Amino acid sequence: MKIVFMVLLSVAVLPAQAAQWLPDPQRVAQAIGAQPEVQAARARVDAARAQARARAAGPHEVTASAIVQQRNIDEAGGGRDYREYELQVGRAFRLPGKVALDRSIGEQGVLAAELRLDDARHQAARRLLDDWMAWLRADAQRREMDGQLEALRREHAALARRVQVGDAAQKDLDLLGVDLAQTEAQHLAASTAVDVARQALTTDFPSLSLPERVPEVTVPQQLTESAEVWARRIVERSHEIAALEADAAQADALAARSRADRFADPTIGLRLMNDRDGAERALGVVVSVPIGGRYRSATAAGDGATAAALHGDAAAMQRDIRREAGTSVETAQARYSQWLAQRRALDASSAANRRVHRGWQLGELSLSDWLMAERMQRQIALNEAEARIAAEQARLRVLVDSHEIWHEE
């Protein structure tokens, strides 16, 4: 059955504002589906289905054998040659119950492979989110540097005019020039970071076309439900847990199959003999049954232990995913609160910086006082931009892990 990869096209779970800075869901589906690990996982699904068909058919096939011989009998009065042959056709048959176990083994193998295909898509969605938000984060930093650099250039030009008319000292212009040069260097680094982030995104997801203008995260969103709801949703929809549980179920069936195989499958066949040029003929039924021994018992015991180990692995994975889910949800809530605090700090810093700037213009404060306030303002603005992107990325991570976005329906 062909797997149809449909990404949730409805972005209704996302506020319309948030959809503005996320890539188109259909393009996300194409980009994720083109990832090599997703294609490899899809091939493993095909392999698991072929193996399931093989198990359903069973390992036993018809076996035919033929013996043709020339017999010479030395009798009194002379020898005589006889043409003789022997034909045998047989096939082993699975005992009752083994067919159902083989089908169950194959079905669980297909289920595990399909779940790992879904998990490969999920991991690709995580990487896409990280790359995308790194691009948005770098551009947010560059945007802040754009505004700061433009403001400093205006101040430098205005101060240069005042120096020309003798209304300001040259040392103040030199001091402001140093600050302007440092800001230009920081702006260049921020622009380079945007180019590097864009290159990483296009390298990891070459089929995802990027807009010319980087989307801007204006206001991060909050999770709409309680932390317990989101954490439970992540655990319930985890493909990693479900895949290991399918592995454990398959191992249970394999262990049951090994126990059943202690009683080996019989082989039943027909045997036709023609001796002495047809003077002697025989038609018989041949039945052979292997006698199971310590090898079959040890194999059954080993498969049972493997099944127990996989059940333990599934329980450990569920514990780890539950812990990670709780951490992710708590991080999203904390990052939003941190952004609110950074926003308040930015508002207060902006107001204070305006007052210091006005005091310098009126001659009440020195240029050094304003430059110190300006540097603090720039750093707080950059911190606010970082906190804004981090808060939105943490929330989107919860939505991706809970399969609310960028996931097969």
Side-chain angles (χ1 to χ4, degrees):
M1 182 181 64
K2 182 178 180 181
I3 295 179
V4 181
F5 180 42
M6 291 184 59
V7 172
L8 294 176
L9 299 180
S10 64
V11 195
V13 294
L14 289 173
Q17 186 178 12
Q20 296 175 1
W21 54 72
L22 288 177
D24 179 71
Q26 290 180 323
R27 295 187 181 276
V28 169
Q30 296 170 358
I32 290 176
Q35 291 294 289
E37 56 269 32
V38 174
Q39 295 177 353
R42 188 177 295 115
R44 291 188 181 97
V45 171
D46 295 337
R49 287 174 176 165
Q51 292 169 2
R53 292 194 301 270
R55 285 191 174 276
H60 303 313
E61 296 177 330
V62 175
T63 302
S65 63
I67 300 175
V68 179
Q69 63 187 16
Q70 187 83 10
R71 185 189 297 247
N72 179 270
I73 300 178
D74 188 8
E75 297 177 340
R80 185 172 179 182
D81 293 332
Y82 296 97
R83 292 189 181 91
E84 300 178 341
Y85 63 85
E86 179 179 330
L87 303 176
Q88 182 171 316
V89 178
R91 185 184 186 278
F93 293 89
R94 283 177 289 180
L95 294 174
K98 291 185 178 181
V99 175
L101 288 172
D102 285 339
R103 290 185 183 278
S104 177
I105 292 169
E107 290 170 357
Q108 292 299 329
V110 171
L111 177 59
E114 290 176 342
L115 287 167
R116 286 191 168 87
L117 170 58
D118 290 336
D119 188 57
R121 290 169 176 155
H122 175 61
Q123 297 303 327
R126 276 183 162 191
R127 287 193 304 276
L128 175 57
L129 177 63
D130 290 342
D131 286 358
W132 185 267
M133 298 307 291
W135 185 40
L136 268 58
R137 176 180 290 103
D139 187 71
Q141 300 282 335
R142 183 193 59 77
R143 288 175 192 269
E144 289 296 332
M145 296 305 302
D146 283 345
Q148 294 170 7
L149 182 59
E150 183 180 354
L152 277 177
R153 283 173 174 169
R154 287 197 304 266
E155 290 292 341
H156 189 269
L159 186 59
R161 289 192 296 269
R162 291 177 58 189
V163 170
Q164 288 178 350
V165 299
D167 190 38
Q170 180 64 40
K171 67 179 183 63
D172 286 345
L173 183 62
D174 294 341
L175 188 60
L176 186 57
V178 172
D179 216 63
L180 176 60
Q182 290 179 336
T183 304
E184 288 175 340
Q186 293 171 351
H187 180 269
L188 179 60
S191 299
T192 302
V194 175
D195 295 337
V196 170
R198 185 184 184 97
Q199 180 62 36
L201 187 55
T202 55
T203 299
D204 291 345
F205 298 91
S207 62
L208 183 65
S209 59
L210 303 182
E212 290 298 325
R213 180 177 176 82
V214 185
E216 181 181 4
V217 178
T218 53
V219 178
Q221 307 298 312
Q222 282 185 289
L223 293 174
T224 56
E225 297 176 88
S226 67
E228 293 76 13
V229 170
W230 285 110
R232 183 172 63 252
R233 191 172 294 162
I234 291 172
V235 173
E236 290 174 350
R237 297 176 180 179
S238 170
H239 292 134
E240 293 176 279
I241 298 173
L244 279 176
E245 289 176 343
D247 286 341
Q250 185 186 42
D252 285 337
L254 281 168
R257 183 67 167 83
S258 295
R259 290 192 297 269
D261 223 19
R262 288 181 297 178
F263 300 96
D265 296 329
T267 299
I268 303 175
L270 289 176
R271 185 180 184 187
L272 173 64
M273 292 187 299
N274 187 310
D275 291 347
R276 299 170 62 88
D277 282 338
E280 296 181 19
R281 296 180 179 177
L283 178 63
V285 176
V286 179
V287 179
S288 63
V289 181
I291 304 301
R294 288 180 296 177
Y295 172 80
R296 293 176 183 267
S297 297
T299 300
D303 288 344
T306 299
L310 285 172
H311 280 289
D313 289 342
M317 179 61 72
Q318 187 174 42
R319 176 203 61 202
D320 294 343
I321 295 296
R322 184 180 295 110
R323 181 179 63 249
E324 182 181 350
T327 300
S328 296
V329 176
E330 290 177 3
T331 298
Q333 294 175 332
R335 291 279 171 81
Y336 185 81
S337 298
Q338 291 167 10
W339 170 75
L340 288 177
Q342 286 289 349
R343 186 67 207 181
R344 290 193 296 270
L346 178 60
D347 293 340
S349 175
S350 298
N353 187 51
R354 286 193 297 269
R355 288 193 296 270
V356 174
H357 182 254
R358 181 61 177 166
W360 169 62
Q361 289 179 326
L362 296 175
E364 299 172 355
L365 297 172
S366 67
L367 176 62
S368 298
D369 293 333
W370 176 67
L371 288 179
M372 182 179 298
E374 178 67 15
R375 293 189 196 104
M376 183 180 296
Q377 162 70 12
R378 288 202 299 267
Q379 187 57 53
I380 292 176
L382 292 174
N383 291 343
E384 187 276 335
E386 169 65 27
R388 187 187 338 130
I389 300 298
E392 183 62 9
Q393 181 173 356
R395 184 186 74 93
L396 292 174
R397 178 64 176 267
V398 171
L399 295 184
V400 169
D401 285 349
S402 61
H403 304 169
E404 291 293 321
I405 62 171
W406 296 0
H407 197 273
E408 182 184 359
E409 185 175 11

